[in-house]
Amino acid sequence: MTPADRVRRRAVGSAIVLSVPAVLLLLALFAVPLLRLLALSVEGGSLVAYQRALTNELYLRVIFETFKIAAVVTLLTLALGYPVAYVMATSGRVWQLVGIAFVLLPFWTSILVRTYAWMVMLGRNGVVNRTLIGWGVIDSPLPLLNNLAGVLIGMVHVLLPYMILPVFNAVKKVDPNLVLAAEGLGAPRWRAFLRVTLPLTMNGVAAGVTLVFTLSLGFFITPALLGGGRVVMIANLIEEQVRELLNWAFAGALSAILLALTLAAFWGISRIARTRSA
Amino acid sequence: MAAQEVRDADLRVDGVAKRYGAVVALGGVSLSVAAGEFLTILGPSGSGKTTLLKVVAGFEFPDAGRVTVGGADITDVSPAKRNIGMVFQNYALFPHMSVARNIAFPLQMRGVPKSEIDRRVIQAMALVELQGYGERLPSQLSGGQQQRVALARAVVFDPTLLLLDEPFGALDRKLRESMQLEVRRLQRRLGLTTVFITHDQEEALVLSDRIAVMDGGAIRQIGAPDEIYDRPADDFVAQFIGESNLLVGEIAAPDRVVLDGGTSVTVRGLDGGHGRVRLLVRPEKMAIDSATNRFTGTIVEAVYLGEAHKLRVKVAEGVELLVRGHRAVPTGARVTVGFAPEDAHVIRGAG
Ligand SMILES: Nc1ncnc2c1ncn2[C@@H]1O[C@H](COP(=O)(O)OP(=O)(O)OP(=O)(O)O)[C@@H](O)[C@H]1O
Ligand SMILES: [Mg+2]
């Protein structure tokens, strides 16, 4: 064993010791309730709840809708977040700090508060509609609340930082000389971006996509408040089963399905990302 | 010494100035490089070498001045359209592309047909002796190999100009020397007009057709290596290149200078001038038991360099002379050293 090995081993040892409290906390607050929920879903050793969830067309529709919304939200945050992250990462220090502050600011506000704020903004007489009518862009108010549009706006807003931060990080890591080199070798700006910056930031994109997509799958408050009951995602379904029908077994089965789908999505995205970057 | 005009100039830089806030990176630099010439820009850190190269490559826009290549003004042309090959200080290889794809990149950008790209990439890899490395990623190469990929990528598209920014800074001495020869061989073979940056004076002397010595954003002197070494324009250049003895004094007669210590020496090249001067005598021109211009002193340091002995001789309080020769003399010995009148180079107007 070389001294370097010894140092490394000691570092690993202390890392294990230091992580004990966090592991205990996770076990108590996360693993135990999860296991209890799973136990509930197979109450009496029967898989009836799963059968019901996976065969009833209504529930399958909700699962499909949930994935569709998560996919659309992910694409929208990517389309909106990448340019923001890119501009932030390539501008001067001051603007970078201002940008990060603006991205992080919403983090310090409760998601509930932000969602209520959107209700005020998006209503028939909300700020958005009144402004657009005031400017003469539209004649009658746009339906932005209690529908899919409202849910998408709210979710994109909440999830945007999860896309911006990893992409920002990835763009910052790209050596600016590489872009200069590409331009010097004959690539116009946009081609240098496509051939150098974009591929080198795919790991950040993958991280952002994974975060946003998997977080979207479990969204509850935003669809509940901005969807007006017309947009139902899995989490809303689970809540309804527990709160109104007290059907713990079915809620447990739905939760297990959501967990399985989330893990599958996570695995799928990271696989794609790995083959893309290889 | 003014930059002499180069006929058939390929690259011409005219009064280029660039400042970053309060820092003057370039204060009106002018120089010309002839077609096929190898010009080295030599200067200490922060003297503006990289900035000058960036202006030529188009990565920085100058506050004033013009850049011309082959007679065409390219000051306002985007870097992508300049057709200049550049090797960056840290190579700037694309880490996600194989060696072959890195080298193919400039050809793809020019819309060269696929079959020709393949042919030219293979040719370029052979040129830098990297046959068989095409599929490797840059991270799987040694420093010297990465350097050669960067070089191949910079020349594969027949650039009108080759720019190299301290390309050997990260290499060890042996590799550095073999890369120097390789670059020079390649440059001659392709007949490329080349601007090379270094802060290593030895490298500059070995490689260059001409050297431009930069300091503080200005060119102090531009000329052939022996001209820079034997006849430096000022004491900055004298001290930056090689080791030197600088003797300060006053002209007393057409061939005599009285040094500040009171010693009188005979020199050539005063041309009937008067006033204060500095005399530059290179250590290898200083000889033990010289017949003329003698100084007596004690050896305070003797270093064996392999091919020569370097001696530091204290001739007066605070005055030491460097001598480079073949005789081994022990520390503490009393010696007489001196130089021939024709071996002192006169630098005028020295304070
Ligand atoms: N982007 C920049 N912003 C601000 N100052 C800069 C910038 N680039 C260069 N400078 C300044 O301009 C001066 C010249 O820099 P330059 O990089 O040209 O020096 P150099 O001769 O290449 O030095 P080195 O040998 O260390 O590479 C330095 O004082 C440097 O600090
Ligand atoms: Mg530099």
Side-chain angles (χ1 to χ4, degrees):
Chain A
M1 201 160 81
T2 68
D5 281 337
R6 221 168 292 138
V7 169
R8 208 169 303 134
R9 191 156 313 173
R10 205 172 321 141
V12 170
S14 43
I16 291 174
V17 172
L18 285 174
S19 63
V20 165
V23 170
L24 286 179
L25 199 70
L26 270 179
L27 278 177
L29 296 181
F30 188 71
V32 172
L34 187 69
L35 287 174
R36 280 204 53 194
L37 199 64
L38 288 179
L40 281 174
S41 73
V42 291
E43 215 171 28
S46 114
L47 292 173
V48 176
Y50 287 92
Q51 195 191 14
R52 182 167 156 229
L54 293 173
T55 50
N56 186 318
E57 204 183 318
L58 184 70
Y59 302 135
L60 286 177
R61 274 255 319 268
V62 171
I63 292 172
F64 177 74
E65 274 294 302
T66 305
F67 265 78
K68 202 182 77 186
I69 291 174
V72 173
V73 167
T74 305
L75 287 180
L76 286 175
T77 48
L78 182 58
L80 293 171
Y82 195 106
V84 174
Y86 180 84
V87 170
M88 265 167 60
T90 50
S91 51
R93 271 179 55 84
V94 175
W95 286 113
Q96 224 163 74
L97 288 175
V98 170
I100 290 174
F102 271 99
V103 171
L104 288 181
L105 208 55
F107 266 138
W108 298 319
T109 321
S110 136
I111 183 170
L112 204 59
V113 172
R114 281 187 278 160
T115 306
Y116 276 120
W118 275 117
M119 292 174 78
V120 177
M121 296 277 291
L122 297 176
R124 282 186 65 83
N125 281 314
V127 179
V128 174
N129 272 322
R130 261 187 305 171
T131 308
L132 288 178
I133 290 172
W135 286 350
V137 181
I138 50 174
D139 298 325
S140 54
L142 290 173
L144 295 174
L145 197 57
N146 301 329
N147 58 16
L148 186 60
V151 174
L152 290 178
I153 291 172
M155 285 179 72
V156 166
H157 173 237
V158 171
L159 291 167
L160 212 41
Y162 294 94
M163 185 63 80
I164 292 177
L165 291 177
V167 174
F168 169 81
N169 221 0
V171 177
K172 269 206 73 86
K173 282 206 191 107
V174 176
D175 177 0
N177 273 345
L178 292 181
V179 181
L180 290 187
E183 287 180 35
L185 291 168
R189 285 255 161 109
W190 62 273
R191 282 189 90 175
F193 173 80
L194 288 181
R195 290 290 306 272
V196 177
T197 313
L198 191 58
L200 288 176
T201 51
M202 279 317 277
N203 55 347
V205 170
V209 164
T210 310
L211 275 172
V212 171
F213 191 77
T214 52
L215 286 172
S216 298
L217 288 177
F219 250 57
F220 169 71
I221 292 176
T222 312
L225 293 182
L226 298 178
R230 260 173 277 178
V231 180
V232 181
M233 294 178 71
I234 301 184
N236 305 103
L237 197 58
I238 295 170
E239 191 259 1
E240 188 186 58
Q241 293 297 321
V242 172
R243 194 167 51 88
E244 288 176 17
L245 307 172
L246 295 174
N247 190 344
W248 284 91
F250 191 56
L254 284 174
S255 303
I257 291 168
L258 174 58
L259 182 65
L261 290 174
T262 307
L263 288 175
F266 187 81
W267 178 79
I269 296 171
S270 46
R271 244 189 85 102
I272 294 171
R274 208 166 325 126
T275 48
R276 275 303 303 269
S277 63
Chain B
M1 207 169 292
Q4 77 252 46
E5 265 314 294
V6 178
R7 269 180 302 132
D8 189 23
D10 211 33
L11 167 67
R12 195 186 295 268
V13 173
D14 261 324
V16 163
K18 176 81 196 174
R19 53 193 309 161
Y20 296 105
V23 179
V24 178
L26 295 174
V29 169
S30 299
L31 62 84
S32 306
V33 189
E37 189 182 22
F38 195 112
L39 178 89
T40 296
I41 297 176
L42 177 65
S45 193
S47 55
K49 307 182 296 293
T50 297
T51 308
L52 180 58
L53 219 58
K54 280 188 166 169
V55 168
V56 173
F59 302 138
E60 291 284 3
F61 193 78
D63 300 333
R66 313 301 297 174
V67 178
T68 330
V69 171
D73 187 330
I74 58 161
T75 318
D76 301 314
V77 176
S78 79
K81 298 210 177 101
R82 291 194 182 195
N83 205 41
I84 291 175
M86 174 150 173
V87 175
F88 287 72
Q89 195 156 357
N90 61 354
Y91 317 141
L93 295 177
F94 305 129
H96 57 303
M97 295 184 202
S98 67
V99 167
R101 284 174 156 272
N102 262 282
I103 301 175
F105 188 86
L107 300 174
Q108 288 172 341
M109 292 305 123
R110 286 164 176 76
V112 176
K114 174 98 180 52
S115 56
E116 198 191 329
I117 290 184
D118 292 344
R119 192 178 56 74
R120 282 170 72 176
V121 166
I122 287 173
Q123 214 175 26
M125 287 200 296
L127 199 63
V128 295
E129 285 160 15
L130 275 179
Q131 296 98 325
Y133 285 85
E135 291 315 306
R136 297 242 201 140
L137 285 176
S139 57
Q140 298 165 327
L141 299 178
S142 72
Q145 290 167 335
Q146 292 183 22
Q147 178 59 66
R148 296 213 287 270
V149 176
L151 200 56
R153 189 179 68 175
V155 299
V156 70
F157 57 96
D158 293 330
T160 46
L161 203 62
L162 178 61
L163 308 177
L164 304 129
D165 188 356
E166 295 199 37
F168 310 136
L171 305 182
D172 66 57
R173 195 183 165 83
K174 244 186 117 67
L175 194 53
R176 211 181 157 93
E177 281 170 4
S178 78
M179 284 304 300
Q180 286 170 3
L181 294 179
E182 194 158 341
V183 161
R184 188 62 197 185
R185 179 179 59 83
L186 198 70
Q187 185 264 344
R188 287 234 172 85
R189 189 155 139 204
L190 303 175
L192 272 170
T193 309
T194 302
V195 180
F196 179 94
I197 286 186
T198 184
H199 57 236
D200 179 336
Q201 38 120 348
E202 215 171 299
E203 187 163 274
L205 292 172
V206 170
L207 283 175
S208 328
D209 291 324
R210 282 190 309 149
I211 297 174
V213 181
M214 267 188 98
D215 184 43
I219 290 182
R220 291 300 193 92
Q221 187 176 6
I222 186 163
D226 56 346
E227 190 182 330
I228 300 268
Y229 186 80
D230 294 335
R231 296 185 295 283
D234 56 30
D235 36 329
F236 172 80
V237 177
Q239 277 172 325
F240 195 70
I241 299 200
E243 289 180 309
S244 48
N245 295 299
L246 280 174
L247 309 170
V248 188
E250 187 118 17
I251 298 178
D255 63 346
R256 290 199 76 72
V257 171
V258 176
L259 301 179
D260 286 358
T263 321
S264 168
V265 293
T266 311
V267 291
R268 306 234 193 288
L270 290 174
D271 300 332
H274 49 81
R276 293 185 66 74
V277 288
R278 276 181 196 220
L279 304 177
L280 164 73
V281 185
R282 296 291 183 188
E284 65 273 15
K285 302 286 190 192
M286 282 283 184
I288 292 173
D289 297 334
S290 158
T292 47
N293 300 331
R294 293 152 65 93
F295 301 83
T296 306
T298 315
I299 304 225
V300 290
E301 191 182 69
V303 182
Y304 179 53
L305 300 171
E307 84 280 20
H309 293 269
K310 193 167 92 177
L311 309 172
R312 213 142 53 76
V313 184
K314 184 172 171 186
V315 295
E317 205 45 57
V319 184
E320 291 179 352
L321 296 178
L322 286 175
V323 183
R324 208 180 159 102
H326 294 289
R327 271 182 48 193
V329 188
T331 310
R334 298 277 300 170
V335 288
T336 301
V337 297
F339 58 93
E342 62 273 18
D343 284 339
H345 169 65
V346 180
I347 298 172
R348 298 212 173 253

